[in-house]
């Protein structure tokens, strides 16, 4: 059962068998990187890949048998139901769930089969975090603003690895230079979750994405800050520039656009009550996203900021802890997603007591309970995310953010939020989604992102607070990344 020895091939990337490796590599690369909008490999690489006649064609290789993994005697939380299934069998072939049965499943004749006896434990979909910043989650803000960007990327590689082993197989990343990390994970050079990237968050001068020093004002014409050069943020102060910055992120591979519509806690200049961007500026960003077949989401807390964003056509509100009932009713009427985070005053603040940032944070904390109650009352389409920033200890407690939701939801409702419901939000990216297939569910034909849990999370959601013990198997895309002997 260990992820090593004769099972080692299951935790490593496996190339596709082929007749002509160079031809298939080029075809796959062109299809994937152009139609799924990864980074363009460049004309020189294309020309090199096309030069198939310059070297001898290798002998035709025999196609290897696909791997298959059979989970036996597991009880399934399928992402939709309120209860676990009876004892079941789940066959994974390649990266898909092929068969689910209450009866034993025969080994496929054309595959190499690995059996995992669940011994009555629980199989669930991989968890989905709808609001992350992987590049910034574990490094203090002061270090991010002053360090070589290479160090930030190294820290992010570890953060992504640890996030996957906590059971988070997919995330919506809403701000940061994450394109390279995503490409590395998708290419098998690093370990981490699937990433729906927004790229740089787009902000006005003095907005939530403006982290310049006071002595950087007034901005010099044509100058770019370190954060902009590194791809963390993009400052825009007119509709044309907002449109251009949004198009840049889309060109780089953004699956959705992130606009800063109101004040924030961690940013140095903006009180929570301010409304950012004009309606015309925000519409420019929304239209750029819509023209690419995707959507814009906004950072906003207050009714005024959210109402302007709704008027501009955004499809999702992130945060919103200070919303009033009339604005929440508007979100429900317009069927706009509300991505909420269970921000609570339950630990030490990252800001000095009494500082402007601390006062903003406390105000936001006080609105969290009311926000969740209003979301439930008006049946707003609600997603769940963590928005963990600048703190390795908080990042390690990612699963604890699930148990905080027990104040408002049952365990079954919470697991639905973190699996099938969040998967619906990811699907809002449409053709700009970087991955094809169904997520957040345990159903035949769905992508094989699965967790084997030592216990029943519907009876004890706190199992996710200790993933190092409770998560026995972590599978993403049909590959095992964690496997504790049963």
């Amino acid at each position: 059962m260990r992820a090593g020895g004769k099972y080692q091939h299951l935790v490593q990337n496996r190339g596709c068998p082929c007749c002509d490796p160079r031809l298939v590599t080029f075809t796959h690369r062109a299809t994937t990187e152009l139609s799924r909008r990864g980074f363009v490999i460049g004309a020189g690489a294309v020309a090199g890949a096309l030069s198939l006649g310059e070297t001898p064609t290798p002998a035709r290789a025999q196609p290897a048998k696909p791997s298959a993994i059979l989970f036996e005697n597991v009880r399934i939380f399928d992402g939709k139901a309120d209860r676990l299934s009876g004892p079941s069998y789940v066959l994974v072939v390649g990266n898909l769930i092929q068969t689910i049965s209450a009866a034993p499943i025969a080994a496929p004749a054309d595959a190499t089969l690995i059996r995992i006896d669940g011994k009555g434990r629980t199989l669930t979909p991989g968890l989905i975090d709808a609001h992350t910043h992987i590049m910034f989650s574990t490094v203090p803000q002061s270090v991010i603003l002053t360090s070589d960007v290479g160090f930030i990327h190294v820290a992010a590689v570890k953060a992504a690895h640890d996030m996957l082993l906590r059971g988070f197989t997919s995330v919506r990343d809403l701000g940061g230079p994450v394109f390279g990390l995503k490409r590395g994970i998708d290419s098998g050079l690093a370990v981490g979750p699937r990433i729906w990237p927004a790229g740089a968050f787009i902000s006005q001068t003095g907005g939530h994405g403006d982290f310049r020093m006071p002595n950087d004002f007034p901005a010099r014409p044509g100058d770019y800050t370190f954060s902009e050069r590194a791809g963390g943020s993009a400052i825009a102060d007119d509709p044309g520039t907002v449109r251009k910055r949004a198009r840049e992120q889309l060109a780089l591979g953004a699956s959705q656009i992130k606009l800063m519509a109101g004040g924030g806690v961690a940013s140095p200049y903006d009180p929570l009550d301010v409304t950012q961007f004009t309606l015309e500026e925000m519409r420019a960003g929304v239209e750029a996203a819509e023209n690419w077949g995707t959507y814009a989401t906004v950072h906003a807390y207050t009714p005024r900021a959210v109402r302007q964003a709704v008027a501009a056509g955004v499809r999702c509100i992130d945060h919103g802890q200070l919303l009033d009932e009339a604005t929440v009713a508007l979100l429900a009427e317009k069927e706009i997603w509300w991505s909420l985070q269970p921000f609570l005053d339950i630990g030490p603040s990252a800001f000095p007591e009494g500082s402007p940032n601390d006062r903003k944070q406390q105000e936001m904390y006080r609105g969290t309970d009311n926000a969740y109650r209003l979301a439930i009352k008006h049946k707003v389409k609600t997603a769940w995310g963590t928005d963990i920033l600048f703190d390795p200890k908080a990042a390690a407690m990612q699963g604890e953010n699930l148990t905080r939701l027990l104040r408002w939801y049952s365990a079954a409702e919470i697991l639905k939020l973190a699996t099938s419901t969040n998967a619906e939000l990811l699907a809002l990216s449409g053709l700009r989604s970087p991955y094809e297939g169904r997520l957040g569910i345990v159903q035949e034909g769905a992508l094989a992102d699965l967790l084997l849990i030592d216990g029943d999370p519907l009876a004890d959601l706190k199992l996710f607070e200790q993933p190092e013990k409770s998560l026995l198997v972590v599978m993403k895309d049909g590959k095992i990344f964690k496997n504790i002997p049963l």
Side-chain angles (χ1 to χ4, degrees):
M1 290 297 301
R2 293 186 181 276
K6 66 178 181 178
Y7 302 148
Q8 186 64 33
H9 64 288
L10 293 174
V11 297
Q12 297 176 341
N13 292 294
R14 303 181 298 276
C16 295
C18 52
C19 298
D20 189 325
R22 292 162 298 160
L23 178 60
V24 174
T25 297
F26 169 70
T27 303
H28 173 74
R29 185 180 297 169
T31 301
T32 300
E33 299 195 12
L34 296 179
S35 68
R36 305 309 305 162
R37 299 165 50 264
F39 286 89
V40 179
I41 59 176
V46 173
L50 284 172
S51 300
L52 297 178
E54 296 179 2
T55 56
T57 301
R60 178 172 297 182
Q62 292 297 321
K65 288 185 178 181
S67 65
I69 299 172
L70 178 60
F71 292 92
E72 300 177 300
N73 189 20
V74 293
R75 302 187 67 194
I76 300 170
F77 170 74
D78 66 1
K80 298 281 191 177
D82 293 324
R83 64 190 65 184
L84 302 183
S85 72
S88 302
Y89 298 79
V90 178
L91 177 64
V92 173
V93 178
N95 70 336
L96 299 177
I97 299 171
Q98 185 177 94
T99 307
I100 300 174
S101 174
I105 298 173
D110 59 346
T112 301
L113 182 68
I114 302 301
R115 299 177 184 271
I116 297 177
D117 184 358
K119 300 179 180 178
R121 293 173 173 87
T122 305
L123 191 72
T124 76
L127 300 176
I128 300 171
D129 191 332
H131 191 132
T132 66
H133 302 275
I134 297 182
M135 301 301 298
F136 306 144
S137 62
T138 61
V139 182
Q141 185 176 5
S142 60
V143 175
I144 291 172
L145 293 174
T146 58
S147 295
D148 183 276
V149 71
F151 171 74
I152 308 304
H153 283 272
V154 170
V157 168
K158 184 179 187 305
H161 171 273
D162 294 347
M163 191 176 292
L164 179 62
L165 295 192
R166 288 193 292 269
F168 291 88
T169 55
S170 294
V171 300
R172 189 177 64 136
D173 197 89
L174 291 185
V178 76
F179 295 119
L181 175 63
K182 176 189 177 299
R183 184 180 182 185
I185 292 171
D186 293 345
S187 301
L189 301 177
V191 171
R194 303 174 190 268
I195 299 175
W196 273 252
F201 34 68
I202 301 171
S203 169
Q204 69 176 44
T205 292
H208 185 50
D210 189 349
F211 289 90
R212 289 175 287 188
M213 297 296 104
N215 55 13
D216 287 326
F217 296 120
R220 293 176 291 276
D223 193 20
Y224 292 95
T225 65
F226 169 74
S227 180
E228 290 178 285
R229 295 193 304 271
S233 64
I235 306 299
D237 289 305
D238 60 77
T241 308
V242 172
R243 185 178 296 108
K244 182 177 181 179
R245 296 291 173 253
R247 288 171 174 171
E248 288 171 348
Q249 302 315 307
L250 292 163
L252 291 172
S255 53
Q256 65 282 323
I257 292 298
K258 172 75 173 295
L259 300 166
M260 300 306 196
V265 170
S267 41
Y269 302 115
D270 51 336
L272 285 184
D273 62 281
V274 303
T275 301
Q276 298 174 11
F277 286 131
T278 64
L279 182 60
E280 292 74 19
E281 288 168 341
M282 189 162 293
R283 278 179 175 160
V286 169
E287 289 171 357
E290 289 179 343
N291 286 343
W292 277 65
T294 185
Y295 71 99
T297 189
V298 296
H299 163 105
Y301 287 108
T302 66
R304 187 172 186 269
V306 167
R307 283 180 173 273
Q308 177 172 276
V310 171
V314 303
R315 303 285 301 281
C316 182
I317 305 297
D318 274 84
H319 307 319
Q321 269 75 3
L322 304 181
L323 294 186
D324 57 23
E325 186 158 6
T327 306
V328 174
L330 178 66
L331 297 182
E333 176 190 343
K334 299 290 187 180
E335 296 186 341
I336 294 170
W337 281 88
W338 190 359
S339 175
L340 262 170
Q341 301 76 37
F343 292 144
L344 297 168
D345 187 11
I346 57 176
S349 173
F351 308 106
E353 185 176 357
S355 66
N357 297 97
D358 178 60
R359 291 197 298 271
K360 291 192 290 184
Q361 187 175 58
Q362 295 304 317
E363 181 183 359
M364 180 267 294
Y365 283 159
R366 289 191 292 271
T368 297
D369 182 73
N370 186 57
Y372 272 104
R373 295 186 186 281
L374 289 175
I376 294 168
K377 176 181 178 180
H378 291 276
K379 300 180 180 179
V380 180
K381 295 192 294 185
T382 306
W384 167 83
T386 57
D387 192 25
I388 294 170
L389 284 163
F390 314 137
D391 188 345
K393 292 182 180 179
M397 297 167 63
Q398 192 174 12
E400 186 175 318
N401 278 262
L402 279 175
T403 63
R404 293 177 190 175
L405 295 175
L406 288 168
R407 295 170 182 244
W408 307 286
Y409 301 102
S410 69
E413 291 171 327
I414 293 166
L415 281 182
K416 290 177 191 178
L417 278 176
T419 55
S420 62
T421 299
N422 274 358
E424 291 178 29
L425 177 57
L426 296 182
L428 204 63
S429 295
L431 292 177
R432 300 291 79 76
S433 173
Y435 310 97
E436 296 180 346
R438 292 181 290 147
L439 287 169
I441 52 176
V442 182
Q443 291 181 4
E444 293 180 356
L447 290 167
D449 289 10
L450 300 169
L451 309 177
L452 184 63
I453 302 170
D454 190 12
D456 177 1
L458 298 185
D460 183 11
L461 195 68
K462 291 184 181 291
L463 289 167
F464 289 106
E465 293 185 6
Q466 295 183 307
E468 67 282 357
K469 297 180 180 179
S470 63
L471 297 187
L472 303 178
V473 175
V474 174
M475 171 183 283
K476 189 195 83 170
D477 207 40
K479 303 178 182 67
I480 295 175
F481 290 89
K482 178 182 180 182
N483 193 354
I484 296 177
L486 304 185

